[in-house]
């Protein structure tokens, strides 16, 4: 089967280090694992091409950088041109990662008479309006309605994202809206093996942006009563500010900078714990993410200390695979990490349970299977199976 994977978001390099890039790559791998021939159509490629994806056929159109309305028009035009290339190349199914202003899935599926899956990872219209710039919100909303109406299924990573899509679109959808959380590659992320005699290393992995709460983790490290080392894996706009804050607090932190997905297992290999200190938000609806990092922590057999927000309590077994704490509370975060540092046998039991859960329930193959369940190919009357 020929799958056209479309990502028209110029903020997401297909071969990059962002969590979104990891998501793109893993869905492509899951498609290829089931025997599909995947062609990628995108507006940004990136330079960190994994060896196992080096043979991908990629069609790339660049969107000029600017903050004006012309960029939004350029995004729409690029998506339309990419849809035209899909039509020219031919495909049996279109899988699109939702992006602002794209109607590529709607155009390609209508022209070819094939199924389409739309994957929605965030309320992008709201994000763009709040954190960046949005000139033509009406056009963005119209594009979303067209895409959802055309898709055989709209797959959302969390219930809040699904509710957001429902609020922006028509009540009836041909294929419905499904909630399918993120997953993890348990072949790529292997169990860590820390030295039991060494000072435990607590890892954070992610882009350094405000909604990840890394500053709370630094404050927790300053309050620690047990000996542990903090390693922050990732880069982002807050990198310099966080390094200054660590120096102010007198906390020694191993800032690794950006790490390509293939190297993540190596930087986690000597870690004993991991943290996901998501901050408190004004509304529960703002906790709409599906935390990729927690799935990776579980696969790495790392007990997780995380904020009790959003989807996290649905993923973690509090007391079984880690500990949940109230968000934006550095004292509570420090106490939970200290507790697990002080009891290595409890840590080990959690590590085994975490890995077992990741393998049993959270592979990308399972994510794709859930996304496709019941979808039928036109003309072949064949239900897709994994």
């Amino acid at each position: 089967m020929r799958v056209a994977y479309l990502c028209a978001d110029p903020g997401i390099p297909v071969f990059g280090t962002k969590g979104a890039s990891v998501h793109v790559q893993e869905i492509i791998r899951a498609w290829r694992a089931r025997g599909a021939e995947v062609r990628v159509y995108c507006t940004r490629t990136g330079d960190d091409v994994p060896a196992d994806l080096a043979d991908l056929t990629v069609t790339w159109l660049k969107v000029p950088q600017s903050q004006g309305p012309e960029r939004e028009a350029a995004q729409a035009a690029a998506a339309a041109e990419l849809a035209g290339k899909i039509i020219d190349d031919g495909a049996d199914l279109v899988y699109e990662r939702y992006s602002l202003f794209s109607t590529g899935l709607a155009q390609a599926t209508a022209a070819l008479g094939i199924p389409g899956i739309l994957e929605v990872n965030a309320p992008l219209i709201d994000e763009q309006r709040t954190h960046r710039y949005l000139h033509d919100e009406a056009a963005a909303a119209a594009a979303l309605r067209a895409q959802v109406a055309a898709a055989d299924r709209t797959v959302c990573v969390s219930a809040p994202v699904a509710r957001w899509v429902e609020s922006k679109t028509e009540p009836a959808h041909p294929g419905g809206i499904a909630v399918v959380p993120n997953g993890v590659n348990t072949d790529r992320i292997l169990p860590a093996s820390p030295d039991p005699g060494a000072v435990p290393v607590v890892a954070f992995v992610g882009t350094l942006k405000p909604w990840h709460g890394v500053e709370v983790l630094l404050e927790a490290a300053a309050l620690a009563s047990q000996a542990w080392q903090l390693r922050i894996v990732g880069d982002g706009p807050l990198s310099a500010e966080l390094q200054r804050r660590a120096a102010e607090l007198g906390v020694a932190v191993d800032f690794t900078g950006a790490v390509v997905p293939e190297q993540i297992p190596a930087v986690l290999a000597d870690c004993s714990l991991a943290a996901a200190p998501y901050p408190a938000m004004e509304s529960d609806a703002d906790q709409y993410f599906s935390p990729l990092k927690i799935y990776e922590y579980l696969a790495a057999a790392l007990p997780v200390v995380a904020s009790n927000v959003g989807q996290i309590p649905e993923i973690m077994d509090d007391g079984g695979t880690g500990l949940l704490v109230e968000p934006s509370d550095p004292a509570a975060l420090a106490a939970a990490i200290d507790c697990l540092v002080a009891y290595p046998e409890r840590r080990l039991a959690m590590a085994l349970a975490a890995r077992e859960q990741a393998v049993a329930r959270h592979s990308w193959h399972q994510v794709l299977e859930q996304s496709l369940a019941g979808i039928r190919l036109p003309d072949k009357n064949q239900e897709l199976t994994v």
Side-chain angles (χ1 to χ4, degrees), residues 220-311:
L223 296 172
S225 61
Q226 299 285 326
W228 45 274
Q229 171 73 39
L230 184 57
R231 176 175 298 158
I232 294 180
V233 182
D235 200 358
L238 293 185
S239 179
E241 181 180 331
L242 290 170
Q243 293 186 48
R244 281 196 299 272
R245 182 59 176 152
E248 290 173 357
L249 292 168
V251 176
V253 180
D254 176 14
F255 286 96
T256 69
V259 173
V260 297
E262 287 176 300
Q263 295 177 358
I264 289 294
V267 298
L268 296 181
D270 65 340
C271 294
S272 297
L273 293 165
Y278 291 101
M281 298 286 191
E282 291 185 4
S283 166
D284 289 343
D286 294 330
Q287 307 282 8
Y288 52 76
F289 54 89
S290 182
L292 197 64
K293 63 171 59 59
I294 289 185
Y295 295 108
E296 293 190 341
Y297 296 159
L298 295 176
L302 296 176
V304 184
V305 178
S307 301
N308 188 9
V309 298
Q311 199 177 71

Side-chain angles (χ1 to χ4, degrees), residues 76-384:
E81 188 171 346
L82 289 170
K85 293 185 179 299
I86 293 171
I87 294 167
D88 292 343
D89 292 340
D92 298 310
L93 182 143
V94 176
Y95 187 105
E96 179 166 0
R97 183 185 175 98
Y98 165 60
S99 65
L100 291 167
F101 307 107
S102 173
T103 55
L105 178 146
Q107 296 172 62
T109 55
L112 296 173
I114 59 175
I117 306 294
L118 181 67
E119 174 197 291
V120 184
N121 295 272
L124 293 185
I125 296 173
D126 295 357
E127 280 191 350
Q128 191 77 357
R129 183 195 319 111
T130 303
H131 300 293
R132 304 177 191 93
Y133 46 85
L134 181 59
H135 299 282
D136 193 346
E137 183 165 342
L144 176 61
R145 286 194 299 273
Q147 293 280 78
V148 172
D152 289 73
R153 177 159 301 140
T154 298
V155 178
C156 301
V157 295
S158 70
V161 171
R163 287 194 289 271
W164 178 79
V165 171
E166 290 169 348
S167 74
K168 298 289 184 184
T169 55
E170 301 298 327
H173 311 286
I177 296 173
V179 175
V180 181
N182 282 329
V184 65
N185 185 334
T186 55
D187 295 324
R188 180 172 61 86
I189 306 290
L190 299 175
S193 56
D195 180 350
V199 172
V201 176
V202 178
F204 168 89
V205 179
T207 305
L208 304 183
K209 292 184 175 179
W211 49 83
H212 285 155
V214 181
E215 69 283 359
V216 177
L217 183 56
L218 296 178
E219 293 172 18
L223 296 172
S225 61
Q226 299 285 326
W228 45 274
Q229 171 73 39
L230 184 57
R231 176 175 298 158
I232 294 180
V233 182
D235 200 358
L238 293 185
S239 179
E241 181 180 331
L242 290 170
Q243 293 186 48
R244 281 196 299 272
R245 182 59 176 152
E248 290 173 357
L249 292 168
V251 176
V253 180
D254 176 14
F255 286 96
T256 69
V259 173
V260 297
E262 287 176 300
Q263 295 177 358
I264 289 294
V267 298
L268 296 181
D270 65 340
C271 294
S272 297
L273 293 165
Y278 291 101
M281 298 286 191
E282 291 185 4
S283 166
D284 289 343
D286 294 330
Q287 307 282 8
Y288 52 76
F289 54 89
S290 182
L292 197 64
K293 63 171 59 59
I294 289 185
Y295 295 108
E296 293 190 341
Y297 296 159
L298 295 176
L302 296 176
V304 184
V305 178
S307 301
N308 188 9
V309 298
Q311 199 177 71
I312 293 174
E314 299 173 21
I315 305 168
M316 285 180 51
D317 173 10
D318 188 19
T321 57
L323 296 175
L324 297 176
V325 299
E326 290 304 306
S328 301
D329 186 340
L333 184 60
I337 295 174
D338 282 344
C339 177
L340 295 183
V341 167
Y343 295 98
E345 291 183 357
R346 187 181 186 192
R347 225 166 52 225
L348 177 59
M350 287 183 169
L352 296 172
R355 174 69 185 181
E356 182 178 345
Q357 177 182 323
V359 171
R361 295 166 45 189
H362 302 307
S363 75
W364 286 110
H365 305 297
Q366 291 165 309
V367 169
L368 185 58
E369 181 179 14
Q370 294 171 36
S371 301
L372 301 177
I375 301 293
R376 291 181 178 275
L377 289 173
D379 301 328
K380 298 178 182 177
N381 195 32
Q382 176 187 358
E383 184 172 333
L384 298 179

Side-chain angles (χ1 to χ4, degrees), residues 7-13 18 42-45 61-65 71 75 99-100:
C7 180
D9 189 334
I12 299 177
K18 292 182 173 182
C42 65
T43 54
R44 188 174 172 189
T45 56
L61 294 176
K62 184 176 182 179
V63 175
Q65 290 191 351
R71 181 173 171 85
Q75 285 180 238
S99 65
L100 291 167

Side-chain angles (χ1 to χ4, degrees), residues 38-59:
V38 181
R39 286 175 175 253
V40 174
Y41 301 82
C42 65
T43 54
R44 188 174 172 189
T45 56
D47 299 323
D48 301 309
V49 183
D52 64 326
L53 299 180
D55 61 335
L56 268 180
T57 300
V58 179
T59 298

